[in-house]
Amino acid sequence: GANFVLFRPRDEAHAIWKELLSDGVLVRDCSSWSGLTGCLRVTVGTPEENLAFITALTRALGVNGETNGNSCS
C-alpha cells in the first residue's frame, strides 16, 4: 500500500500548499512533475497527524463544518 495521499484540489494548488504549510502540515507540491499539474502529496501519519492535516485542509479549502477524525464534514 501507499504511504501517501496524492490529490488535486479544485482551488489553485500552490495557494492550498502555502496554507497547509502555514498550519504546520508538511505537504509536497507535485505540480512540476509530469502528469501531476495541480497535485499535492501528503504522507500518511499517525491518527493525530492525519487529523491535523484534515483540519488544516478543511480550513484551507474554506469548508464549513467540523472534522470527526475520519473525514471532512
Side-chain angles (χ1 to χ4, degrees):
N3 63 351
F4 60 87
V5 175
L6 181 72
F7 63 101
R8 181 177 284 132
R10 290 181 186 168
D11 296 329
E12 201 259 313
H14 189 75
I16 300 298
W17 173 78
K18 285 172 51 176
E19 288 284 332
L20 292 173
L21 285 180
S22 72
D23 278 341
V25 175
L26 297 179
V27 62
R28 185 166 197 160
D29 186 348
C30 300
S31 294
S32 65
W33 300 0
S34 178
L36 297 180
T37 302
C39 288
L40 302 175
R41 186 180 85 178
V42 64
T43 301
V44 175
T46 66
E48 295 80 14
E49 291 167 333
N50 294 339
L51 181 57
F53 163 65
I54 292 169
T55 301
L57 181 61
T58 299
R59 185 173 22 257
L61 295 175
V63 176
N64 292 323
E66 299 177 11
T67 60
N68 62 13
N70 296 319
S71 63
C72 295
S73 299

